[in-house]
Amino acid sequence: MSLKGKNNSELKVAIIGGGFGGAAAAVALRSVGIKADLYEQAPVIGEVGAGIGMRPPTVEFFKDWGIYDAMVSKSSVSEYMEVVTGKGEVVFRERWPQLTDEPNARWSRLIHRADFIGTFLEHLPTESIHLDHKCKSVIDYGDYAVVQFEGDKTIEADLVIAADGIRSNIRSKFFSDAEPVYSGTHAYRAVIDKEDSFDIAPDNTFRVWVEGDVNVYVLPLHHRNQISFDVTVPSDDSSWAPEVETKDIVKHLTNFDPRIQKVAERINDYTCRALYDIDPVERWTSNSIALLGDAAHAMLHHQGQGANQAIQDAGALAEALRDADTIPQALQRYQARRKPVTDKYQELSRLNPSEENQTAFPEKETFERVAE
Ligand SMILES: Cc1cc2nc3c(=O)[nH]c(=O)nc-3n(C[C@H](O)[C@H](O)[C@H](O)COP(=O)(O)OP(=O)(O)OC[C@H]3O[C@@H](n4cnc5c(N)ncnc54)[C@H](O)[C@@H]3O)c2cc1C
C-alpha cells in the first residue's frame, strides 16, 4: 500500500514530542514501515519517578510492534484493585476489567515510567531521535506541512504528529484555543524502596486509600523491589509545578493509617504537579497534521488511562496509515476510531474514587467486552 504515491518508507513523518504518545507513535509507525523522526524540546527524554498500569488493549499493540517481551520483562501483573478507607478497611475489591476480546486479560501490568519510556526509545534508531528541538511553529500547506524549530531549523513533512502534551501549541493554533482546565487538585508522587514501605503493598494489588477528598494511590513495583506512592489533595494553587514541602503533604494524612503517614514523612523528593485536563476537542486532524495523546485528549489520572490512551492512539494511527489509500483518509479513520473512546475516558476521569462509588472501574460498563 502506498500513500501520496510514495512507499511508506519514503513518507516524511515528523513527531513533535517525546513523551509516551510520541515515542509510542515512532515505534508503531516503524512497525508498518514508516520511518518517522521524533523531535523533543528537552535535552533528554525522561519520565518522573512513578509507576503506571499498562492495560490489556495497550499491551496488545506491543505484540505487533515487536516490543512485547521487552515490556513484559520490565513489569509485573496486578489482578486486583482495591479502594480502602484511610484506615485501610476495604470498600471494594475488584478484578481489573476485561477491555479486550481476550477473556484472560483481566489484569494491569505495572511498570516504572522510566522503564516504560526507555523501552520505546531502545527500539528506535538513535538518529531518528532529535533532542533539543523545540517546535516554534507549524505551517499547514494542505498536503504537507513545514515545522520550524527554535534556532531556525526547518523541516518539511507529509504528516506532522503533534504529541506535544496538554499544553500543545499545535492544538491551540489549528484545532482549539480553549485553555486546560484546573481540577483544583495536586498530585505528589514518589517511588520508594519496598523495605521502607511499612508493608502497605504486601501483594500486587493496586490500592487507592480514600479519606474525604484526599486519595493515596499505592502501586506495587515488586519486580523492582519498589512501591509507587501518589498523594492527591485539593489545592487552590493552580501553578503547574507547585512548590510543596513534605510537611505540607503529611498534614493532609492525619486521618490515615499511621503507616501511610510514616511513608509520606520519610519521602523528601516528591514530584509535585497541579492536575489539569482539557475539554474534548472537536477535530484532531487536518490533511497533514494529527493530534495524539494528551495534546488531543488530556484527562485526569483517576482512571489511570492518559498514557494508555496515548499509546492506543499510536497503534490506531499506524494501522490507519497502513490500510488507507491517502493520508487524509487515514487521519479521518484514526479520529473516528479513537475520539469516541477518549471522549468517554475524559468524562469518566473527572470522577474521583470515593467511598460512595459503586465500582473502582466506572469504565467497565462502557468498555468491558464480556459480562461476568
Ligand atoms: C499524577 C498523574 C498520574 C498519572 N497516572 C497515569 C496512569 O496510571 N496511567 C496512565 O495511563 N496515565 C497516567 N497519567 C497520564 C499520563 O502521564 C499522560 O497522559 C501521558 O504522559 C501523556 O503522554 P503524551 O506523550 O501525550 O504527553 P507528554 O507526556 O506531556 O509528552 C509531551 C512531550 O512533548 C514535549 N514538547 C512539548 N512541547 C514541545 C515543543 N514545542 N517542541 C518539542 N517538544 C515539545 C514535552 O517536552 C514532552 O516530552 C498520569 C498523569 C498524572 C499527572
Side-chain angles (χ1 to χ4, degrees):
M1 183 63 64
S2 65
L3 293 158
K4 289 183 84 173
K6 297 177 180 175
N7 290 326
N8 280 357
S9 63
E10 292 168 336
L11 279 181
K12 281 190 68 80
V13 177
I15 301 171
I16 311 299
F20 289 121
V27 173
L29 292 188
R30 293 191 82 78
S31 77
V32 298
I34 299 173
K35 294 176 186 152
D37 281 289
L38 184 66
Y39 298 92
E40 164 59 42
Q41 64 184 356
V44 283
I45 294 181
E47 281 284 337
V48 300
I52 211 160
M54 302 186 294
R55 310 293 279 275
T58 304
V59 175
E60 208 42 45
F61 279 116
F62 299 157
K63 294 179 185 163
D64 296 339
W65 305 349
I67 61 171
Y68 177 80
D69 290 342
M71 286 294 187
V72 165
S73 72
K74 289 177 187 158
S75 58
S76 48
V77 168
S78 168
E79 288 176 313
Y80 288 94
M81 174 169 163
E82 275 181 6
V83 174
V84 303
T85 65
K87 297 288 184 225
E89 291 139 21
V90 178
V91 180
F92 36 76
R93 175 177 169 83
E94 288 177 66
R95 287 287 300 268
W96 291 88
Q98 182 200 327
L99 302 174
T100 69
D101 295 329
E102 167 54 59
N104 295 320
R106 299 195 60 189
W107 40 258
S108 176
R109 290 205 76 93
L110 310 181
I111 190 166
H112 190 289
R113 279 175 174 254
D115 291 341
F116 202 2
I117 193 83
T119 304
F120 287 125
L121 298 177
E122 275 162 30
H123 288 82
L124 292 173
T126 322
E127 64 275 13
S128 70
I129 303 172
H130 310 272
L131 302 174
D132 268 324
H133 276 67
K134 180 167 182 167
C135 165
K136 206 166 60 175
S137 74
V138 176
I139 304 163
D140 189 345
Y141 288 102
D143 61 349
Y144 72 100
V146 168
V147 184
Q148 294 175 325
F149 296 95
E150 279 187 355
D152 287 337
K153 178 171 170 174
T154 295
I155 55 137
E156 201 179 294
D158 299 307
L159 171 61
V160 173
I161 300 175
D164 51 345
I166 184 168
R167 287 186 279 179
S168 167
N169 290 336
I170 302 175
R171 181 185 70 240
S172 351
K173 179 168 177 191
F174 294 104
F175 302 107
S176 164
D177 58 6
E179 291 292 324
V181 181
Y182 180 49
S183 66
T185 53
H186 284 181
Y188 310 126
R189 287 178 283 176
V191 171
I192 59 167
D193 287 340
K194 198 179 169 196
E195 63 186 31
D196 298 328
S197 71
F198 297 95
D199 215 20
I200 55 170
D203 54 22
N204 265 327
T205 301
F206 172 53
R207 283 189 184 77
V208 189
W209 301 63
V210 180
E211 194 60 50
D213 46 14
V214 177
N215 296 339
V216 179
Y217 295 82
V218 177
L219 184 144
L221 294 167
H222 290 317
H223 55 285
R224 291 173 64 114
N225 274 322
Q226 289 179 319
I227 310 287
S228 178
F229 188 77
D230 169 340
V231 182
T232 304
V233 306
S235 174
D236 293 334
D237 176 4
S238 60
S239 41
W240 281 89
E243 289 190 14
V244 181
E245 293 179 31
T246 298
K247 66 175 169 42
D248 304 320
I249 298 170
V250 173
K251 75 177 185 216
H252 291 283
L253 302 172
T254 46
N255 293 328
F256 280 75
D257 183 318
R259 294 175 303 155
I260 293 283
Q261 296 176 34
K262 280 192 210 149
V263 168
E265 276 162 16
R266 287 185 169 203
I267 299 169
N268 50 28
D269 55 350
Y270 285 97
T271 304
C272 302
R273 184 162 156 182
L275 295 172
Y276 283 80
D277 66 1
I278 60 172
D279 290 322
V281 175
E282 205 174 309
R283 195 169 55 87
W284 293 357
T285 62
S286 69
N287 286 345
S288 56
I289 302 174
L291 299 177
L292 182 145
D294 275 13
H297 48 63
M299 57 188 73
L300 296 179
H301 66 315
H302 300 305
Q303 308 318 323
Q305 282 286 354
N308 279 276
Q309 294 308 311
I311 292 161
Q312 291 170 38
D313 287 350
L317 180 55
E319 287 179 3
L321 288 165
R322 180 194 64 198
D323 297 338
D325 296 325
T326 65
I327 290 178
Q329 186 187 63
L331 298 188
Q332 280 164 22
R333 288 182 186 173
Y334 158 67
Q335 172 170 326
R337 177 171 166 192
R338 294 296 303 149
K339 199 171 132 50
V341 176
T342 60
D343 280 356
K344 190 69 190 169
Y345 276 122
Q346 282 182 288
E347 179 195 326
L348 294 171
S349 295
R350 286 183 171 165
L351 302 174
N352 256 353
S354 88
E355 290 183 49
E356 286 75 50
N357 294 151
Q358 301 298 310
T359 170
F361 301 107
E363 76 267 37
K364 233 169 118 165
E365 205 176 302
T366 314
F367 297 111
E368 193 163 45
R369 304 294 160 100
V370 179
E372 299 212 29

